[in-house]
Amino acid sequence: KAQLLESGGGAVQFGGSLRLSCEASGHMGSRYCMAWFRRYPGQGREGVAGIDSDGITNYADSVKGRFTISQDKAKSTVYLQMNNLKPDDTAMYYCAAVQTTSPGVCLLWETLFGFWGQGTQVTVSS
């Protein structure tokens, strides 16, 4: 069973940057999708970015050109580099993972992911 541990959240000003990290432990298998979701207060989680075991990435329209997801397989870690942050990016960010059987774009559907981290808060002030 995989376990996910996020880090790197914090408070920044408008236009600032943060890098979130998600370290996976336990057995994930050779093929998987890992993703970042975020949750605004009182709302459900929305997909932000995903990466599969082959490095195929996809992003929510709201973060394209500002956020970059990457992975270091040797460290079993996925990163989310967030640049040009806006107050609308303020949310709790969660790392998620799911084992897959074939390559392809990771769909950012919350119900597809079986493993979740505890979340890390990102706050952007104007």
Side-chain angles (χ1 to χ4, degrees):
K1 181 178 179 181
Q3 292 184 318
L4 306 176
L5 180 63
E6 304 102 332
S7 62
V12 295
Q13 291 188 329
F14 182 92
S17 298
L18 283 173
R19 189 177 79 158
L20 305 183
S21 299
C22 173
E23 183 177 358
S25 60
H27 182 65
M28 269 299 297
S30 61
R31 193 162 294 283
Y32 55 81
C33 275
M34 293 190 72
W36 289 95
F37 287 75
R38 62 188 178 188
R39 173 181 277 166
Y40 299 109
Q43 299 184 29
R45 284 183 282 215
E46 68 170 28
V48 174
I51 187 168
D52 86 332
S53 44
D54 288 341
I56 300 172
T57 60
N58 66 313
Y59 298 91
D61 288 343
S62 59
V63 305
K64 283 180 181 177
R66 300 189 298 122
F67 291 10
T68 302
I69 189 170
S70 61
Q71 62 184 340
D72 184 335
K73 289 187 174 184
K75 296 182 179 179
S76 299
T77 299
V78 171
Y79 304 98
L80 185 68
Q81 177 67 44
M82 305 185 295
N83 298 328
N84 192 20
L85 282 161
K86 306 174 182 180
D88 285 350
D89 296 316
T90 296
M92 183 71 79
Y93 284 71
Y94 297 88
C95 179
V98 60
Q99 293 179 328
T100 61
T101 57
S102 59
V105 171
C106 296
L107 297 176
L108 300 177
W109 296 348
E110 182 180 2
T111 54
L112 293 178
F113 291 83
F115 302 106
W116 292 87
Q118 293 300 306
T120 185
Q121 178 68 36
V122 171
T123 301
V124 185
S125 59
S126 58

